[in-house]
């Protein structure tokens, strides 16, 4: 056989060998289905699903059912259908779940009114020794279950959130749990602020705050949200017993005037965060506070009626303020910004929100940002028609450390916002940006056929961007499609269902979250 014949035979043999390898590899790939995955890998995949989806996976096979019911997937559970989509049909079913599926792994649970009974709470206390976070939703209650026989309650709770009813008095339940909650560090009492009707109705003090404060001496974070009966005496009560207090939030408690604020700071030397959005603060009370001796670093006085004199006095005397939210205040004007800058007390500021401050001019804002813009991590200048892309373009190069930017107004303007140049400026100036919201009306946004390039630059240069909120419209669709093509499907959102806030910068932000 000549050399050519040998070469042809060898080539044919190699080709046959390769075909065999390919067929063998193809057979192996066909055999590698999801059923061949180890349980620990399947468990990890399931951990990315919601509990509602996990329950659906449990119907696929016996093996999947076993993995889906692994207690490690059920450490944080919400049984409120409107939140999680999970609905437990009977108390017997819940008791079985607590014993079999939750057990020692359970750390966090949310219960609706129909599941809050003494037997359920007994079972949680007995079977879930590591339960540290609990939310009890009484908001829709017309009457409570009978708790006269309740003898046990989870004892390791660090976080307790109680959603109050407008008309149901809680004392019968609360006096049964006072002996079990002295280890609480975080307390949320959620009122019915968002359910208030136009007609004024009689207000009931449905929970006894003065008794509650005696049972919770170790509180670090207190959030009293939208409770129509909370006033200054309740703040005084907590401050008299909670010496560890670091953060107090009384947002939308419109009976709070600030009359006990001076005493609050005298007693609570560790208080660094005070949130009073929508309270009825009186300037004379606020000016009596010894701000210069306080440890306050984070302050929210949004939508209050504080005077210009009061704001200048307060901001000039707080030595270490890092976070200020002071929007929707008529008294917050150019003279406040000027006096604050001259006093030198804005040197530690990292987050500023002056949303809807119509008495601030763009010239005053530019002067302030020229001096302090480089230190800011979060800036919100939304809700002001006169603050357009021109001001933002002039200060963006100063905001090199910005993580949060909120700009624009929903009010239809008589001018256009050139969003391509704005996006380009943001991308080139703010590499650490995490959250961005543009609230301008879609009809005011002007962009060209080459806007994809500006969006590409933003997407490529701002790799930490988690959330980009836009008003629903053509530009929103263009930006969303651009990010989705790059597999960043959760970044772009519409203002209909998402809002950006400087609250992400609060040191106790995670402790203040509630559903």
């Amino acid at each position: 056989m000549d050399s050519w014949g040998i070469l042809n035979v060898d080539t044919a043999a190699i080709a046959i060998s390769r075909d065999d390898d390919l067929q063998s590899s193809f057979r192996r790939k066909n055999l590698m289905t999801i059923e061949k995955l180890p349980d620990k890998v399947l468990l990890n995949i399931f951990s990315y699903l919601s509990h509602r989806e996990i329950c659906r996976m449990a119907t696929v096979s016996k093996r999947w059912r076993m993995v889906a019911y692994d207690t490690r997937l059920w450490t944080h559970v919400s049984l409120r259908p409107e939140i999680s989509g999970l609905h437990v049909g009977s108390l017997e079913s819940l008791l079985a779940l607590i014993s079999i599926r939750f057990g020692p792994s359970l750390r966090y649970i949310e219960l609706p009114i129909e599941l809050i009974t003494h037997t359920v709470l007994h079972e949680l206390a007995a079977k879930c020794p590591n339960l540290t976070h609990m939310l009890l939703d009484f908001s829709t209650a017309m009457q409570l279950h009978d708790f006269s026989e309740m003898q046990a309650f989870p004892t390791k709770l660090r976080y307790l959130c109680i959603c109050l009813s407008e008309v149901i008095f809680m004392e019968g339940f609360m006096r049964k749990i006072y002996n079990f909650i002295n280890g609480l560090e975080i307390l949320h009492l959620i009122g019915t602020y968002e359910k208030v009707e136009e007609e004024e109705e009689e207000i009931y003090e449905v929970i006894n705050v003065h008794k509650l404060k005696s049972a919770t001496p170790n509180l670090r974070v207190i959030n009293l949200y939208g409770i129509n009966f909370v006033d200054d005496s309740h703040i005084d009560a907590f401050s008299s017993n909670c010496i560890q207090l670091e953060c107090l939030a009384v947002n939308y408690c419109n009976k709070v005037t600030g009359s006990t604020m001076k005493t609050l700071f005298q007693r609570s030397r560790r208080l660094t965060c005070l949130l009073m959005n929508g309270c009825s603060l009186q300037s004379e009370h606020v000016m009596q506070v010894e701000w210069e001796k306080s440890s306050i670093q984070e302050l929210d006085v949004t939508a209050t009626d504080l005077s210009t004199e009061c704001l200048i006095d307060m901001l000039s005397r707080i030595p270490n303020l890092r976070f200020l939210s002071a929007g929707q205040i008529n008294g917050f004007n150019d003279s406040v910004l000027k006096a604050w800058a001259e006093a030198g007390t804005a040197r530690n500021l990292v987050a500023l929100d002056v949303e809807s401050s119509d008495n601030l001019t763009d010239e005053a804002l530019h002067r302030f940002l020229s001096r302090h813009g480089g230190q800011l991590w979060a800036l919100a200048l939304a809700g002001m028609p006169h603050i357009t892309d021109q001001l933002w373009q002039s200060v963006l190069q100063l905001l090199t450390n910005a993580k949060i930017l909120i700009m624009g107004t929903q009010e239809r303007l008589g001018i256009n916002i050139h969003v391509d140049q704005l996006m380009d400026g943001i991308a080139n100036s703010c590499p650490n940006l995490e959250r961005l919201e543009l609230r301008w009306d879609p009809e005011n946004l002007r962009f060209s056929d080459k806007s994809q390039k500006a969006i590409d630059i933003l997407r490529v240069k701002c790799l930490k961007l988690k959330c980009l909120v836009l008003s629903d419209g053509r530009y929103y669709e263009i930006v969303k499609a651009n990010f989705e093509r790059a597999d960043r499907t959760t970044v772009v959102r519409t203002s209909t269902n998402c809002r950006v806030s400087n609250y992400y910068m609060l040191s106790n932000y995670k402790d203040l979250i509630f559903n």
Side-chain angles (χ1 to χ4, degrees), residues 190-317:
I190 310 303
T192 54
Y193 166 78
E194 295 177 354
K195 299 179 182 179
V196 173
E197 298 180 358
E198 292 184 5
E199 294 183 8
E200 291 189 9
E201 298 181 357
E202 187 173 355
I203 296 174
Y204 301 102
E205 189 166 340
V206 296
I207 192 167
N208 192 324
V209 171
H210 297 276
K211 289 184 179 179
L212 178 59
K213 62 95 177 181
S214 299
T216 53
N218 297 305
L219 289 175
R220 291 188 302 104
V221 178
I222 299 173
N223 179 24
L224 310 177
Y225 181 89
I227 306 177
N228 52 16
F229 63 82
V230 163
D231 58 25
D232 298 279
S233 67
H234 300 103
I235 295 176
D236 187 63
F238 274 120
S239 69
S240 68
N241 197 53
C242 304
I243 61 173
Q244 309 291 334
L245 191 60
E246 298 172 4
C247 175
L248 174 63
V250 288
N251 290 339
Y252 306 110
C253 295
N254 55 23
K255 286 195 171 184
V256 172
T257 66
S259 62
T260 59
M261 282 178 64
K262 181 177 180 179
T263 305
L264 169 68
F265 282 104
Q266 289 173 342
R267 291 171 174 170
S268 305
R269 294 295 183 181
R270 299 186 181 185
L271 186 65
T272 58
C273 177
L274 180 61
L275 310 177
M276 310 185 84
N277 187 337
C279 292
S280 302
L281 296 180
Q282 295 182 16
S283 296
E284 58 268 28
H285 297 325
V286 175
M287 294 174 70
Q288 289 173 5
V289 177
E290 297 174 315
W291 294 106
E292 60 277 1
K293 296 181 181 179
S294 74
S295 301
I296 199 72
Q297 296 181 12
E298 299 164 344
L299 180 65
D300 186 355
V301 290
T302 301
T304 56
D305 290 326
L306 297 180
S307 66
T308 299
E309 180 188 7
C310 175
L311 289 165
I312 292 174
D313 175 78
M314 177 180 69
L315 293 176
S316 300
R317 291 195 290 130

Side-chain angles (χ1 to χ4, degrees), residues 160-213:
L160 178 62
C161 179
I162 299 177
C163 300
L164 303 174
S165 164
E166 285 185 313
V167 295
I168 299 300
F169 291 91
M170 299 289 297
E171 190 55 29
F173 168 75
M174 295 301 297
R175 66 168 172 260
K176 288 291 184 177
I177 71 171
Y178 284 145
N179 292 333
F180 301 99
I181 60 173
N182 57 9
L184 276 185
E185 295 180 22
I186 303 161
L187 174 67
H188 293 260
L189 297 179
I190 310 303
T192 54
Y193 166 78
E194 295 177 354
K195 299 179 182 179
V196 173
E197 298 180 358
E198 292 184 5
E199 294 183 8
E200 291 189 9
E201 298 181 357
E202 187 173 355
I203 296 174
Y204 301 102
E205 189 166 340
V206 296
I207 192 167
N208 192 324
V209 171
H210 297 276
K211 289 184 179 179
L212 178 59
K213 62 95 177 181

Side-chain angles (χ1 to χ4, degrees), residues 108-128:
Y108 176 104
I109 192 167
E110 297 180 4
L111 295 174
I113 177 60
E114 60 270 19
L115 299 179
I116 305 173
T117 68
H118 74 274
T119 53
V120 169
L121 296 173
H122 281 183
E123 196 72 3
L124 287 171
K127 301 293 176 61
C128 306

Side-chain angles (χ1 to χ4, degrees), residues 333-338 341 359-371 387 391:
N333 54 30
D334 292 359
S335 59
V336 174
L337 273 187
K338 181 180 179 183
N359 292 327
L360 280 175
T361 65
D362 52 355
E363 292 86 358
L365 283 167
H366 189 277
R367 284 195 298 270
F368 185 85
L369 293 174
S370 297
R371 184 169 181 174
I387 304 300
L391 174 67

